[in-house]
């Protein structure tokens, strides 16, 4: 397997060095693995901190900046960061108004953020946490660790980030974040497995001519394998899986997200099919975002996330944002 | 049960032997994790135990309890994922259970580890049978009442017993039925700790 790396051990640190070089608006602590916006802590503003394993770029470091996250902690590839990173990030972005942790529902992320919240509060930082669990591919969640957090993370970080930028208090931001989680559902498919630098070979076997339905974002296989389908068929399958669980009475935000190795040509084509299904189901589309936002290294495939929004959530979605990976209105 | 008295040096040795075992088996742990997780359990544990050995060398703690607390803190600060908090809690709570005595008996060590295993079960919200590290830890700690060798064997059997199980916790739980037929990597690394303990207790 050929990769544009030096050695697997320094992949994350090397990427952070590159982020520092490319984005002078960010303060990148490569040693402690914490990324914060340069003007942090912003007086009077609640801080937003998120984090998770590396390998999902631009999530989360790419979403640090005005209107979105104040800080991010990247872990090792596909491994949750450690509490020390989160505590450091919380301390760096806290202006005295408290900090919201945005946590994806994976056991490692949940446990480390839980420990970090306790440690940060010992240091006098008020912390609230919101758990993102939007993945409808996880069935029987009472018998699993619960639904995974995937694409909705972007909606939570953007909308809660906009509210924080406007000066909303921690309780309000936490409530908005929970509302976004409750309103969001995702479904992912893989056309190929990904290869982690440490392992150097695909994390699961996916024969040519087959695809995996219901994958997560860590190279874990999905729940079902089928013969390769057309973009039209995949969109039918994915959107119907979501709509079985979410009957949108309000317009939806649509995220068509690439997993890392699928070109935009294909993603836009898929977005057209997603739009077709939503039109057929008479679901109103408020905004559509297409691109690689919550990736899984070099996995080919995509995920769809829908979030139903009222006027206030849509206003916050449209609010200005200025980060390496998401930027509009400023 | 063994009449061995455990002092700080012996517990340090347990950690070093564990670190060597994790080092030796890292490839296998990662392979097991590739089947039902995300292929990094070996490298994560390796990173954690390397930090543990380094910390214990730099500032050797004076009591068995302090050794385990230091080791647990290192794992929490370096491993990440679910293994960091879970293994960190196991060692930290076991260490706290031992108190500040300069030496502990085998029975006291068993009681300390028992407290550690219970803390892991609480933190992870898991029980034996869920296909997690507890499937090795729980039988291992129980068999400590007999002997250290019995504990190592019980933990190893417990790890093997995870093969036909359906995962209910952690990342493997997302695979549902497809998690069946694979040995749990966390239970496998837990068995290594018991094997290391049996080795140093001889």
């Amino acid at each position: 397997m050929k990769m544009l790396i030096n050695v697997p051990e320094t992949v994350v640190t090397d990427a952070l060095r590159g982020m520092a070089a490319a984005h002078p608006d960010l303060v990148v602590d490569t040693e402690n693995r914490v990324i914060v916006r340069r003007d942090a802590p912003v007086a009077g503003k609640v801080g937003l901190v998120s984090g998770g394993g590396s390998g999902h770029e631009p999530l989360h470091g790419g979403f640090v900046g005005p209107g979105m996250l104040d800080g991010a902690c990247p872990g090792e590839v596909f491994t949750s960061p450690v509490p020390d990173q989160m505590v450091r990030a919380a301390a760096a972005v806290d202006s005295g108004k408290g900090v919201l942790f945005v946590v994806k529902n994976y056991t490692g992320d949940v446990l480390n953020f839980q420990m970090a919240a306790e440690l940060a509060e010992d240091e006098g930082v008020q912390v609230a946490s919101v758990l993102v669990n939007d993945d409808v591919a996880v069935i029987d969640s009472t018998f699993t660790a619960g639904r995974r957090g995937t694409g909705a993370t972007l909606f939570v970080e953007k909308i809660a980030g906009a509210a924080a930028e406007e000066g909303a208090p921690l309780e309000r931001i936490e409530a908005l974040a929970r509302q976004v989680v409750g309103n969001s559902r995702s479904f992912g498919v893989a056309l190929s497995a990904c290869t982690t630098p440490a392992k150097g070979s695909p994390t699961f076997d996916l024969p040519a001519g087959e695809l995996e339905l219901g994958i997560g974002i860590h190279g874990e296989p999905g729940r079902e394998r089928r013969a390769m389908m057309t973009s039209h068929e995949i969109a039918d399958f994915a959107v119907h899986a979501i709509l079985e669980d979410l009957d949108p009475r309000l317009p939806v935000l649509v995220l068509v997200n690439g997993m890392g190795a699928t070109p935009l040509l294909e993603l836009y084509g898929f977005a057209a099919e997603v739009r077709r299904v939503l039109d057929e189901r008479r679901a109103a589309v408020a905004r559509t975002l297409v691109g690689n936002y919550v990736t899984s290294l070099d996995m080919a495939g995509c995920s769809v996330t829908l979030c139903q929004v009222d006027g206030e959530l849509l206003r916050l979605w449209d609010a200005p944002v200025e980060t390496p990976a998401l930027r509009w209105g400023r | 049960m063994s009449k061995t008295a455990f002092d700080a040096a012996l517990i340090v040795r347990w950690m070093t032997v564990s670190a060597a075992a994790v080092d030796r088996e890292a490839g296998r742990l990662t392979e097991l994790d590739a089947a039902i997780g995300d292929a990094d359990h070996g490298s994560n544990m390796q990173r954690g135990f390397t930090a543990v050995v380094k910390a214990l060398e730099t500032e050797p703690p004076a009591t068995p309890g302090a050794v385990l607390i230091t080791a647990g803190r290192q794992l929490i600060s370096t491993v990440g994922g679910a293994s960091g908090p879970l293994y960190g809690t196991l060692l930290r709570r076991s260490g706290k259970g031992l108190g500040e005595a300069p030496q502990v008996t085998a029975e006291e060590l068993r009681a300390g580890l028992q407290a550690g295993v219970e803390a892991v079960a609480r933190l992870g919200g898991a029980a034996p049978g869920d296909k997690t590290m507890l499937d090795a830890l729980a039988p291992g700690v129980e068999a400590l009442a007999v002997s250290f060798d019995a504990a190592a064997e019980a933990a190893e059997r417990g790890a093997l017993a995870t093969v036909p199980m359906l995962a209910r916790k952690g990342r493997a739980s997302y695979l549902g039925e497809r998690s069946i037929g694979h040995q749990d990597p966390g239970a496998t690394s837990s068995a290594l700790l018991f094997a290391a303990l049996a080795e140093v207790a001889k």
Side-chain angles (χ1 to χ4, degrees):
Chain A
M1 187 68 202
K2 285 191 283 187
M3 285 187 185
L4 186 59
I5 63 172
N6 294 316
V7 289
E9 292 73 27
T10 64
V11 163
V12 176
T13 311
D14 292 342
L16 288 175
R17 283 167 44 222
M19 283 199 81
H23 305 292
D25 288 347
L26 303 180
V27 177
V28 182
D29 179 344
T30 49
E31 191 191 338
N32 296 302
R33 298 186 172 185
V34 173
I35 302 163
V36 298
R37 54 190 276 189
R38 186 158 292 282
D39 56 357
V42 182
K45 180 187 174 305
V46 167
L48 246 72
V49 170
S50 192
S54 293
H56 307 304
E57 290 69 24
L59 190 80
H60 293 275
F63 300 141
V64 175
M68 215 160 163
L69 295 177
D70 294 84
C73 331
E76 284 293 323
V77 172
F78 292 170
T79 300
S80 150
V82 299
D84 310 38
Q85 289 171 267
M86 299 156 183
V87 172
R88 226 175 252 275
V93 306
D94 182 36
S95 71
K97 296 289 177 184
V99 172
L100 179 73
F101 284 161
V102 180
V103 186
K104 295 185 298 305
N105 191 30
Y106 281 96
T107 310
D109 296 270
V110 172
L111 295 183
N112 284 285
F113 269 107
Q114 191 180 319
M115 291 196 158
E118 285 169 27
L119 294 170
E121 288 191 343
D122 288 350
E123 290 184 17
V125 180
Q126 191 193 352
V127 175
S129 296
V130 60
L131 195 63
V132 185
N133 56 352
D134 53 314
D135 185 358
V136 299
V138 177
I139 306 166
D140 294 336
S141 62
T142 43
F143 297 108
T144 67
R147 285 183 169 179
R148 296 175 286 219
T150 59
T153 315
L154 180 146
F155 290 145
V156 173
E157 291 174 2
K158 172 66 184 75
I159 289 172
E165 203 68 43
E166 291 177 353
L170 183 57
E171 303 71 42
R172 171 70 184 142
I173 295 165
E174 184 188 352
L176 276 167
R178 284 188 207 292
Q179 194 187 347
V180 174
V181 172
N183 289 5
S184 299
R185 301 288 189 280
S186 295
F187 191 89
V189 299
L191 311 185
S192 75
C194 64
T195 298
T196 59
K199 184 159 182 284
S201 59
T203 53
F204 62 94
D205 225 16
L206 186 53
E210 294 186 11
L211 86 169
E212 285 269 351
L213 296 166
I215 45 109
I217 54 174
H218 295 95
E220 67 265 49
R223 295 197 57 106
E224 198 185 327
R225 182 170 293 186
R226 290 197 184 182
M228 187 56 197
M229 298 152 74
T230 62
S231 177
H232 184 106
E233 292 163 340
I234 295 171
D236 273 330
F237 192 97
V239 177
H240 285 142
I242 290 171
L243 293 181
E244 262 176 39
D245 201 72
L246 177 80
D247 180 13
R249 316 241 151 115
L250 297 166
V252 290
L253 305 175
V254 180
L255 169 64
V256 170
N257 171 60
M259 302 306 299
T262 292
L264 277 172
L265 179 75
E266 295 172 37
L267 291 180
Y268 273 113
F270 182 69
E273 296 296 342
V274 168
R275 180 57 180 262
R276 171 191 57 77
V277 187
L278 289 170
D279 287 348
E280 285 168 10
R281 295 284 297 257
R282 299 187 191 291
V285 174
R287 303 284 183 272
T288 301
L289 183 66
V290 180
N292 294 293
Y293 293 104
V294 184
T295 60
S296 186
L297 293 172
D298 61 339
M299 183 186 274
C302 62
S303 62
V304 188
T305 306
L306 302 184
C307 172
Q308 61 169 343
V309 286
D310 58 16
E312 173 68 353
L313 293 185
L314 185 57
R315 186 184 69 75
L316 291 167
W317 174 254
D318 284 340
V321 59
E322 189 175 348
T323 71
L326 205 64
R327 145 183 323 242
W328 58 65
R330 265 171 73 108
Chain B
M1 187 138 186
S2 156
K3 297 280 179 233
T4 317
F6 291 81
D7 60 6
L10 198 53
I11 300 292
V12 168
R13 188 158 149 63
W14 175 27
M15 291 296 104
T16 353
V17 172
S18 298
V22 164
D23 224 29
R24 193 176 62 236
E25 299 289 331
R28 188 165 76 98
L29 294 176
T30 289
E31 279 301 322
L32 291 173
D33 195 24
I36 55 173
D38 59 356
D40 61 8
H41 189 56
S43 46
N44 287 347
M45 292 292 283
Q46 223 173 359
R47 184 172 61 248
F49 273 92
T50 304
V52 166
V53 169
K54 196 173 156 204
L56 294 176
E57 273 171 5
T58 319
E59 257 180 86
T63 66
V67 173
L68 291 180
I69 290 172
T70 300
R73 279 211 194 111
Q74 287 300 319
L75 294 180
I76 291 171
S77 295
T78 56
V79 176
S83 309
L86 291 170
Y87 270 107
T89 294
L90 173 72
L91 297 187
R92 222 167 56 89
R93 289 299 176 92
S94 297
K96 276 186 162 180
L98 295 184
E100 290 169 12
Q103 282 200 342
V104 295
T105 64
E107 171 52 26
E108 285 164 339
L109 182 58
R110 189 201 63 76
L113 288 172
Q114 174 76 42
V117 172
E118 283 164 12
V120 168
R122 271 196 306 278
L123 181 63
D130 287 343
K131 199 179 181 100
T132 71
M133 56 196 280
L134 276 178
D135 288 306
L137 291 179
V141 129
E142 202 187 320
L144 270 180
V146 182
S147 74
F148 287 99
D149 284 337
E153 279 164 32
E156 178 63 27
R157 266 201 314 277
L160 290 171
T162 61
V163 173
M165 288 178 187
L166 175 76
R168 294 190 197 283
K169 290 288 166 184
R171 217 169 266 174
S173 71
Y174 299 123
L175 301 185
E177 300 279 331
R178 292 166 81 178
S179 65
I180 293 172
H182 301 281
Q183 186 169 328
D184 183 67
T188 309
S189 53
S190 290
L192 293 180
L193 294 197
F194 276 100
L197 183 58
E199 190 182 324
V200 302
K202 281 192 202 313

